[in-house]
Amino acid sequence: MKKRILFIATGGTIASEVTELGLKPGISAEGLLRAVPAIRELCDVECLQLYSLDSTDIGPEHWLGMARAIRENYEGFDGFVLSHGTDTMAYSAAALSYLIQGSAKPIILTGAQKPIGFDTTDSRVNLLDSFICACSGDMHGVMIVFNGRVILGTRARKTHSKSFDAFSSINYPHIADVRDGRVTQYIVPGFEKKPRFFSELD
Ligand code: ASP
């Protein structure tokens, strides 16, 4: 049976197009998926276009919005993939790690340094790797998948502004690698029977 994954799009360079004012998020969640047909072969995906923002405009109200979207859909899906700008992805990942604790289901954030429509781009591989991780059995809780590395949501930091290798895991090893469609996992994150949603603020 194929896994059911909810794809939550929030904007970022991955979904951006060239405009007179520079790069602007404009490609929908469906559009992102169309650019990587292998994803729909791997799993059943439903799309939720939550925001269409540069991540420098994402803050606490959006973190609560992402947590709410996951909470409301938690029972219906096996995992969650969120596309997000890289500038504040680590902050959103940290916030979601505390807003949703002990999740047995994977909650994966990803993005890219180059838009999905560019000839040279990290968008497609990061998106596909994220869905591969979301469908692999031992991924639990909030994490970032980027440039073949899986980093816990509480440990990620953007350390390079241009390199495809944008994120590092700080004071803790990254928990898995994704190469050529295969996941090599070193650490299995802890989880609980039922996740705890800290949603009292929304
Ligand atoms: N400014 C963009 C954002 O964070 C950068 C990116 O996605 O790489 O939305």
Side-chain angles (χ1 to χ4, degrees):
M1 263 264 282
K2 277 185 178 175
K3 296 247 167 111
R4 271 177 61 72
I5 308 296
L6 181 62
F7 178 41
I8 302 172
T10 73
T13 289
I14 189 169
S16 286
E17 295 169 311
V18 179
T19 73
E20 279 174 6
L21 301 171
L23 288 178
K24 256 191 111 186
I27 300 168
S28 66
E30 292 283 355
L32 290 175
L33 286 186
R34 268 198 301 277
V36 195
I39 291 173
R40 288 216 189 264
E41 289 166 23
L42 179 72
C43 52
D44 289 329
V45 191
E46 228 171 81
C47 292
L48 176 62
Q49 186 70 47
L50 190 60
Y51 308 119
S52 205
L53 292 171
D54 188 286
S55 79
T56 52
D57 292 324
I58 281 189
E61 68 179 276
H62 306 100
W63 301 337
L64 290 173
M66 291 179 224
R68 192 182 310 125
I70 294 166
R71 187 186 66 206
E72 286 173 359
N73 288 287
Y74 195 81
E75 292 311 323
F77 292 89
D78 300 305
F80 303 85
V81 173
L82 295 97
S83 56
H84 194 293
T86 61
D87 287 338
T88 68
M89 191 191 299
Y91 306 123
S92 292
L96 288 176
S97 302
Y98 293 106
L99 289 168
I100 308 168
Q101 295 186 22
S103 171
K105 300 181 182 180
I107 300 166
I108 293 172
L109 290 96
T110 196
Q113 295 282 50
K114 296 280 182 201
I116 200 146
F118 282 23
D119 289 341
T120 303
T121 177
D122 49 342
S123 295
R124 291 191 202 98
V125 70
N126 286 346
L127 214 47
L128 181 58
D129 284 353
S130 297
F131 279 88
I132 288 169
C133 286
C135 294
S136 106
D138 269 339
M139 295 289 173
H140 313 289
V142 180
M143 63 208 98
I144 286 179
V145 172
F146 211 98
N147 196 43
R149 217 176 277 134
V150 185
I151 300 172
L152 282 184
T154 48
R155 297 291 177 167
R157 184 184 295 166
K158 187 177 178 186
T159 44
H160 295 102
S161 58
K162 291 213 168 69
S163 164
F164 284 177
D165 194 17
F167 287 88
S168 304
S169 186
I170 305 299
N171 287 329
Y172 196 78
H174 62 282
I175 64 165
D177 285 304
V178 201
R179 288 274 176 274
D180 303 323
R182 299 179 80 96
V183 180
T184 308
Q185 191 160 352
Y186 315 111
I187 295 169
V188 178
F191 62 94
E192 290 157 30
K193 249 193 184 149
K194 271 190 129 197
R196 283 167 292 131
F197 288 94
F198 287 83
S199 52
E200 57 269 27
L201 293 173
D202 65 345

